[in-house]
Amino acid sequence: MSDKAALHPDRPRTTLLRGGEVHSPADPFATAMVVEGDSIAWIGSEGAADSFADGVDETVDLDGALVTPAFTDAHVHTTATGLALTGLDLAGARTLADALARVRAYARERPGDRVLLGAGWDASAWPEQRPPRRAELDEATGGRPLYLPRVDKHSALVTTALLDLVPGVTGREGYAHDAPLTDDAHHAVREFAYGTLTPAQRAEAQRAALAHAASVGIGSVHECAGPRISGEEDFAALLALAAGEPGPRVFGYWAELVTSAKEAARVSELGALGAAGDLFADGSLGSHTAHLCAPYADAPGTTGSAHLDADAVAAHVAVCTEAGLQAGFHAIGDAAIEAVTGGVRRAAETVGLARVRAARHRVEHAEMLTARTIADLADLALTASVQPAFDAAWGGDDGMYARRLGTDRARTLNPYAALQRAGVPLALGSDSPVTPLDPWGTVRAAAFHRTPEHRISVRGAFTAHTRGGWRALGRDDAGVLVPGAPADYVLWRTGELIVQTPDTRVANWSTDPRSGTPGLPDLTPGGQLPVCLRTVVAGQTVYARPNE
């Protein structure tokens, strides 16, 4: 602590940052910022910063660094992310044989684990175009229990030994003799597998996930938990850990259907902001469980799984609105999204459209949209919590989406430009560990969408990944660097700042520095992304890059 701070221990600590680029709508040419305690006090020019220099406790020379608001990842599974970071992650496996070799090595490394836990496999990316068979996994693990969810978390591979530990699982919906488990069978084995984690293992995973988030410039995460995902004990432990230790803020959502004020109150008592997040209206495209209006192109006999109808959605939204809770749903397929928007519309007829709009209810993923459902999202003021990295991973004419749906339907997915034009609030996230915590990569994926007509500007995507996440919480005063806002910010090493739009039809004036539009890093694919130097949350450093 400096001498000035020591003389006034009850006064909030003040810091002057100067000599860089401060991304702020308050001053598009700002090079300096003053932080007082946990809030931003002033933003302005280098010359004006001189008047603050003698009165602050600390001065930070930015040395040309860019200062931005911290990112908010609006859809995260924290414990699962940590387990992928610290355990068996098959996201890098390139072939079936590679995946089995990794399972074999991991089993040797963890002789004491009651259940081996992994994540991240995607057989659609392998030349064999099939997942491991149960007998192959039995051999690779030496006959031990293994839970191995697909990258989208909506199906899972398991060994015979794990099935033997979950009574009645072979009689549940979604069980198949030698194929990935889905639906209730999957949920049963997931609950058992994650239930074997010790408190120490869980805390290790959660700390790893939050530390990694901070290291890439994420200051807040929306934890999407629920009884079919991670369990109350995991949710409570995460919220307590985040409240008690420096790190990114954690805002919790609990995905449980409520039908009464008493049930809604219990969700609030858990510490959740809403009965929302991954409250499943359907599943995923990769697992053929997203609910479609027309059958899958590569599975003509199925239209996926419907977990909620419009009546159930309407009842849930009405109760949540009356209780002051956010409601929200996981909906990917067009039929699922129609059920959600139709149900929210019915709830609005019951409790009032203005109240539903004010509640800022959410739809997670919202991938397979139509002109009608986009208009409904806008009219009902539903936030679209979306993951642009899905398109980067599975979009394009030769990607997984095209194989599942056919090229024409696949090209309609994730229409961010249409959502933005309609006025639908966007909040960007990763669904980590489905795709990595990578905020600049996420912004790049939205700006350089594989389908050109769905692209949005870098500025629009950046705003949706910073301020958009706060607005999704009902906070309009955060996620932006202006006086009075929370001091959640990041220092970046980056190249030249520009105003970038991949759409050449945008008027040239918008890229002219004289327009007064703050610049952002060049995110052209193939170029280096910004490097995080420091992440600050509520005025407290939660990550500092080594040797910087």
Side-chain angles (χ1 to χ4, degrees), residues 100 104 134-143 159:
L100 287 169
R104 193 174 290 110
R134 192 162 295 147
E136 293 171 324
L137 291 172
D138 288 345
E139 183 278 328
T141 60
T159 54

Side-chain angles (χ1 to χ4, degrees), residues 3 10 48 137 162 209-210 222 231 282 284 291 310 325 356 361 369 423 425 437 444 454 470 482 498-499 535:
D3 291 340
D10 297 328
L137 291 172
L162 179 56
L210 294 176
H222 297 185
D282 67 345
S284 73
H291 188 205
L325 273 178
V356 164
H361 302 309
L369 294 158
L437 297 168
R444 172 187 277 173
H454 299 331
W470 282 95
V482 295
I498 61 174
V499 177
T535 302

Side-chain angles (χ1 to χ4, degrees), residues 43 77 108 160 188 196 320 341 344 371 386 461 497 501 521 545 547:
I43 287 172
H77 303 284
R108 287 196 300 267
T160 302
T196 65
C320 287
T341 56
V344 177
V386 298
L497 302 183
T501 173
R545 185 175 174 82
N547 304 319

Side-chain angles (χ1 to χ4, degrees), residues 397 406-413 449 451 453-454:
D397 290 352
T407 303
D408 289 344
R409 276 197 295 175
R411 286 176 180 163
T412 69
L413 264 59
H449 196 295
T451 305
E453 57 263 36
H454 299 331

